[in-house]
Amino acid sequence: MISFIPYTKKNVATAASKLRLPPVESVLRDAKDIMKAMISRVDEEDDIEYAVTFSHGCLFFRIFDTGRYYFTFPEPLTDDDDPEDALRELVRYMVREEVPMRLVGVPTFYLKYLEGFRHMTLDADDFTADSYSVLINTECELCDELPDEEGERLILSSLSEEDIPDYARLCRDEEVNRYWGYDYREDKPDASDEYFYDTAKEEFARGSSATFAILVKPCIIRKKYMSEDAPESESTVRIDRVSFAGEATLYAFDGKGNAQMAIRLLPEYQGLGLASESAALLGQAAREMGIICLEFSIAEENAHSLYAFRHYELTREGAEPGTLRATFPVVGHMDPRAIK
């Protein structure tokens, strides 16, 4: 897992010493020269931030300029190094950090390494250019609005202002969010109800995640309780009106048609079989967005989710410690640009 080291004109040597470079003096010298050349045209007054990292024998940069991140194509420091593995690592970083995939200075020869990305835009000063700027779009970025999906008991739709109070309650519920992977209190402990709604909308606008409201239609549902004494005892729940039950989210779009999914439900709607039905509807939405394959992870101690997704093939392969992972293909995916 890579991390970028910020640097300026004044601390090139210090930043270079923090890179995990091979213990070869010429490699360190070359790294310093490349770092200096990258920043040489920037005045001290310019509001441009540079950061550098080293991976798989290659040096590459993160540039923050006019409110946007740009990344340089991995540059080999020796003739024996190949940037393909470094590029994969860079893509994992961009997906993890949820920043748009913008590459600058991609040599024409290395454009072949980008063939696996589905929606690319190339830009150059002219057709004789030796390098290109590349924008890799995701299915989320290409959708003007989220598709609506409807099942027997549920509706998946974009969050609306009517959902704000219940959505905020969902986001604040400590028990619900034990396994969500993000605690809003770390960034915004005094968050208002509107904060959660606005954040979801902003993340969709920049193409990093797609959040659907899970709405339950009027119905009577059998509720199952899980315990050692009565693993499947039941009662009934009556729902009289269309009600907000939770959130279904697509995120971590990798530019190759893959994404991750997550579902969370308010406490009063857990145990009703809504999670698995929500996953099925989310798969339909993913198909309409043009996604090829979905992935989700479940904490091993999350008994409710393990029960809800017991019919999926859960493995530890590729998952973080303490979690199980599943992947499944999305059949009949469409071109996301067809959704308007």
Side-chain angles (χ1 to χ4, degrees):
M1 183 179 295
I2 63 173
S3 59
F4 282 86
I5 300 170
Y7 78 99
T8 65
K9 286 182 180 179
K10 298 177 181 178
N11 64 353
V12 168
T14 301
S17 67
K18 296 179 181 179
L19 298 171
R20 296 181 178 178
L21 297 168
V24 179
E25 183 60 34
S26 60
V27 173
L28 176 61
R29 182 178 62 252
D30 290 345
K32 290 179 181 178
D33 290 343
I34 294 171
M35 292 168 65
K36 290 176 182 176
M38 179 60 63
I39 205 170
S40 62
R41 295 187 297 274
V42 180
D43 295 330
E44 295 295 338
E45 296 78 15
D46 287 347
D47 189 21
I48 302 177
E49 300 175 8
Y50 285 85
V52 63
T53 194
F54 177 79
S55 179
H56 297 281
C58 297
L59 201 68
F60 42 104
F61 297 84
R62 185 187 69 197
I63 304 167
F64 186 74
D65 183 19
T66 61
R68 292 187 174 185
Y69 283 106
Y70 300 87
F71 298 85
T72 62
F73 193 81
E75 183 167 346
L77 288 180
T78 70
D79 294 336
D80 297 329
D81 296 312
D82 193 315
E84 187 170 8
D85 288 333
L87 177 63
R88 292 195 189 99
E89 191 70 31
L90 177 58
V91 169
R92 283 194 287 269
Y93 171 86
M94 290 188 285
V95 170
R96 185 179 74 247
E97 298 298 322
E98 297 183 341
V99 294
M101 301 181 192
R102 297 186 180 93
L103 294 169
V104 296
V106 182
T108 303
F109 174 78
Y110 288 122
L111 287 175
K112 63 183 181 181
Y113 290 129
L114 302 175
E115 290 177 354
F117 295 102
R118 305 173 69 214
H119 310 289
M120 290 196 308
T121 301
L122 303 182
D123 186 29
D125 292 336
D126 57 63
F127 292 108
T128 63
D130 294 328
S131 64
Y132 289 81
S133 294
V134 180
L135 173 62
I136 301 171
N137 292 117
T138 68
E139 293 75 19
C140 188
E141 290 172 300
L142 294 175
C143 285
D144 294 331
E145 59 183 28
L146 295 178
D148 292 333
E149 305 296 336
E150 184 169 351
E152 181 181 352
R153 299 180 300 179
L154 298 180
I155 300 170
L156 251 59
S157 65
S158 298
L159 285 170
S160 69
E161 293 185 359
E162 294 179 357
D163 301 323
I164 289 176
D166 286 326
Y167 185 55
R169 181 162 62 93
L170 175 73
C171 295
R172 289 196 179 101
D173 191 295
E174 293 184 21
E175 186 61 27
V176 168
N177 293 296
R178 280 178 61 195
Y179 309 110
W180 191 245
Y182 170 71
D183 188 343
Y184 75 93
R185 293 171 297 186
E186 296 177 1
D187 298 322
K188 194 78 171 177
D190 58 345
S192 65
D193 286 3
E194 290 76 13
Y195 167 80
F196 303 103
Y197 171 82
D198 292 341
T199 298
K201 292 296 185 181
E202 289 168 4
E203 289 176 349
F204 175 64
R206 71 168 182 261
S208 62
S209 68
T211 296
F212 296 81
I214 301 172
L215 306 177
V216 188
K217 297 188 286 188
C219 60
I220 297 176
I221 304 176
R222 290 181 177 180
K223 182 168 185 175
K224 294 184 177 181
Y225 296 89
M226 294 179 297
S227 68
E228 294 181 0
D229 299 330
E232 289 193 358
S233 58
E234 295 183 350
S235 67
T236 58
V237 175
R238 183 185 184 92
I239 299 171
D240 295 319
R241 59 183 180 83
V242 176
S243 305
F244 177 91
E247 163 187 22
T249 299
L250 299 172
Y251 67 104
F253 302 88
D254 69 354
K256 296 183 177 182
N258 305 302
Q260 296 187 35
M261 59 172 274
I263 293 169
R264 55 179 172 176
L265 297 169
L266 287 167
E268 62 265 35
Y269 293 102
Q270 295 177 7
L272 304 180
L274 302 184
S276 55
E277 188 173 337
S278 298
L281 291 176
L282 193 57
Q284 293 180 23
R287 175 187 63 82
E288 293 190 39
M289 293 174 67
I291 295 168
I292 295 174
C293 186
L294 286 177
E295 173 188 318
F296 65 89
S297 300
I298 299 175
E300 289 186 276
E301 66 270 23
N302 188 347
H304 283 286
S305 291
L306 289 176
Y307 184 79
F309 294 95
R310 64 193 181 279
H311 301 301
Y312 290 84
E313 184 179 349
L314 299 169
T315 69
R316 290 181 173 82
E317 182 182 357
E320 296 181 0
T323 61
L324 298 172
R325 174 177 174 268
T327 60
F328 56 94
V330 176
V331 179
H333 55 274
M334 301 167 57
D335 186 333
R337 285 167 288 197
I339 303 176
K340 297 297 181 182

